[in-house]
Amino acid sequence: MAGAAGDKATVTQRADRVDVLVKSLPELDWCANPAEIKRKSLDYYWFSPVLRRELEAKSADAVVRPRNIDELRRIVAGCVGENLPVTLRGGGTGNYGQAIPLDGGVVIEMTACDRLLWLKHGVARAQAGIKLGALGELLAPQGWELRCMPSTYRMATLGGLFCGGFGGIGSITYGPLSAPGTVLGIQVMTVEAEPRVIELRSPEAMQHAHTYGTNGIILELEIALAPVHEWDEHFITFDDADAAFNVAQAVAQAPGLIKRETALFAPSVAKYFKKLAPHREAAEHAAIVVLAASNRETLEALVNQAGGRIAFRQSSEEARTRQHSLLEYCWNHTTLHALRSDKSLTYLQTTYEYGREREQLAAIARQTGDEVLPHLEFIRDEQGRVVCSGLPLVRYTTEKRLRELITLHRECGVGVKDPHVYTLEDGTRHGAMSPASLAAKRRFDPGGLLNPGKVRSWVTSKES
Ligand SMILES: Cc1cc2nc3c(=O)[nH]c(=O)nc-3n(C[C@H](O)[C@H](O)[C@H](O)COP(=O)(O)OP(=O)(O)OC[C@H]3O[C@@H](n4cnc5c(N)ncnc54)[C@H](O)[C@@H]3O)c2cc1C
């Protein structure tokens, strides 16, 4: 299907089939506005100048928002009947064109399937279209919160996080969403003439994680939660890069500190935080640390000892009232703030080797000067080690130079997950889909209608 996608006759035939589908299901909530169809065909792919060039012209032929699972079932059956590509959409905040249909067809927006189904003993079950911020609001009064969430929590959905994301806020304590014990089970719909609904428990359920909605439609997720805390959000500044790193790493590693976020920004990155500018001198390094309020004095002692200062602090309650959380400066929100000021910037996704972080950062700085601007995020990896990852900003010149910078990082021993590609295989460190994930795709999407073009090995796998 992907090969003939651009062909004029194919596009016309496909548009005709979409027309038939829309007319056969008039009671559904189809998007009627062409500008809205275009908007809901795109995500935050434009963070990458390479993806911007490759994907900006893409669009679905139709967008529909099912109000319940029965409506979803009818749409899916209709798409299978008309042999139409189907791309799922949550909040549309993905960065790698994950929710962008390469071959047109139908975008199914899941945000109306957004119920919290139950919550007991620190475990919740919710529909995939629920927004993470809204879910957090429902959990907090019961004493629980999400173990990890992206900085886009206000817009992003639970299903979108599972299928396209990684984690972020909270991963410093609980690791990524894929850490065993967090996602306990999922309910998935098959893409067949008569769609089936299948319950999967972990670890089998995890074959569907981070697969860009290519191997089934996630309807529900059952997730383990974290106890909610009264959080303090700190903006901390330092004259000295080593002192800043030492404090951030000490906080990240300290087992007695209850934490949700630890990030570090070079002055060349922190300067893009316009609202925080009154709290920072131009040459200062900055850290954002979100800790339980009970750890306030311990943090103050650590910062004072290192010669830093807590430039700004607010409670999570104040952040909510002010609608201004420091969490929305972390992870890829850092890149967003920078891009608002300078459109020539882009970014990489890096992981530094434990114990060699500063050596690696220095080696890269020596070879790139101010072409790569450090932004670090501390996380606990799936093995429980507290490691240093990064979303450094990059001054973009050419695609060739971007590839050279990725190679240079790898030569320095730094892991890079390439955010300038849209296929699943190219975006992973291993460059391949696992056989189990491919088997799951065959079972849940035998016709290959889901998000076609995102799994490179699918064509090969069908032919073999
Ligand atoms: C400013 C910014 C900051 C970000 N920070 C982070 C971060 O801290 N951590 C992080 O992990 N990511 C981050 N991201 C990326 C993104 O926000 C997250 O991955 C988010 O969880 C995606 O959720 P979504 O609902 O927007 O998914 P979408 O973008 O709508 O979809 C993501 C993928 O999941 C598929 N999908 C969605 N719902 C379903 C479903 N029900 N069934 C099957 N497939 C489905 C889509 O087809 C697509 O392939 C950031 C992005 C931006 C722009």
Side-chain angles (χ1 to χ4, degrees), residues 88 90-95 98 151-152 157 161 163 165-167 212-213 218 331:
L88 275 301
T93 66
N95 289 118
Q98 293 146 304
S151 57
T152 46
T157 61
L161 173 61
C163 297
F166 147 84
Y212 298 3
I218 311 300
W331 295 94

Side-chain angles (χ1 to χ4, degrees), residues 6 9 50 106 163 178 185 243 305 308 315 320 343 351 363 383 409 459 461:
V50 178
V106 178
C163 297
S178 56
Q305 215 174 12
S315 67
R320 232 189 321 275
K343 300 267 179 295
T351 310
Q383 286 73 44
H409 275 78
V459 181
S461 127

Side-chain angles (χ1 to χ4, degrees), residues 348-393:
L348 293 178
Q349 300 181 147
T350 50
T351 310
Y352 304 88
E353 202 177 305
Y354 183 79
R356 288 190 58 216
E357 302 90 347
R358 263 178 288 197
E359 180 200 321
Q360 292 177 325
L361 287 161
I364 287 157
R366 262 196 312 278
Q367 296 178 68
T368 62
D370 72 348
E371 206 179 353
V372 176
L373 316 177
H375 159 204
L376 303 179
E377 293 280 349
F378 289 85
I379 55 159
R380 191 176 286 271
D381 68 13
E382 276 194 40
Q383 286 73 44
R385 295 169 305 195
V386 175
V387 296
C388 182
S389 67
L391 292 158
L393 297 177

